[in-house]
Amino acid sequence: MSLHDLAVLLRTVFGPAEFIDGFEYGALIRRTSPSGGARQELDAYLAAPNVTGVPAGLFHYNTREHSLELLREAFTHAEAGALCAYQEGIGQAAFVVFVVAAWERLRAKYRRPRAYRVSHLNAGHLGQTFALATTALGLGPFQSAAFDDTAVETASGSTAPPTAPSTSSPPDTRPPTLRPRPPI
């Protein structure tokens, strides 16, 4: 996986498509995926054991600056596998993206329980955009909710309580070429 493809993927899925005037809420980010109230409460954390041009590590994707903020150096394939409940193939992924909710952003505007459910919808939208973008880059997307919440929080240095919804989204190897189905 190249740094260029990773940058395209992160910008397409998590980066701003534009900024809009949120009046009393200030400038708000619009992404390619919808978000309730444009709160964009979902952040991307990147575990990158094997991306050309990126030192192995755990990063936070800074949406506004389109940059990676190093949280921890020397992230390994074995650690990726452990964070993702040892699912088959995760240990070979070039990187894994964890989508984690920053609830304070959502609660600043929405204080009702429905906001929690809307955040799950937002995670689904981002997951679909991730799948489409990785496919467009010639990668085979894989998404799962099977991961160790506590281990992800510890690895990212989070001291907050669990911040679900989270999704691990490692791109798989390049998908096989589609072959026409023989006539019956």
Side-chain angles (χ1 to χ4, degrees):
M1 181 75 189
S2 72
L3 174 57
H4 176 267
D5 286 351
L6 177 64
V8 169
L9 178 64
L10 291 174
R11 181 176 294 279
T12 300
V13 179
F14 301 103
E18 69 176 336
F19 291 89
I20 58 175
D21 185 355
F23 303 102
E24 70 266 22
Y25 299 104
L28 300 176
I29 294 172
R30 262 199 48 229
R31 290 180 176 158
T32 54
S33 297
S35 172
R39 299 313 300 161
Q40 305 298 351
E41 78 285 359
L42 300 171
D43 284 342
Y45 288 85
L46 174 75
N50 190 23
V51 176
T52 304
V54 177
L58 183 66
F59 303 87
H60 173 256
Y61 174 64
N62 182 322
T63 299
R64 290 184 186 267
E65 296 178 7
H66 184 55
S67 64
L68 294 174
E69 300 167 338
L70 180 64
L71 301 174
R72 205 187 100 213
E73 295 177 333
F75 195 85
T76 67
H77 284 100
E79 289 174 292
L83 291 178
C84 296
Y86 300 100
Q87 294 176 80
E88 189 175 331
I90 297 286
Q92 288 83 41
F95 66 91
V96 179
V97 176
F98 294 96
V99 179
V100 179
W103 296 119
E104 66 280 356
R105 256 185 264 148
L106 194 60
R107 279 192 227 123
K109 188 171 185 182
Y110 300 110
R111 299 169 202 264
R112 304 260 189 247
R114 178 146 313 272
Y116 178 76
R117 294 187 284 279
V118 168
S119 185
H120 286 275
L121 288 172
N122 294 343
H125 291 304
L126 283 176
Q128 183 63 38
T129 303
F130 181 90
L132 291 169
T134 53
T135 301
L137 289 167
L139 301 170
F142 172 80
Q143 297 176 28
S144 176
F147 54 90
D148 184 336
D149 288 299
T150 303
V152 170
E153 290 168 27
T154 301
S156 67
S158 174
T159 57
T163 51
S166 300
T167 302
S168 64
S169 300
D172 216 342
T173 56
R174 298 205 180 271
T177 304
L178 294 176
R179 288 176 230 123
R181 187 175 172 185
I184 296 177

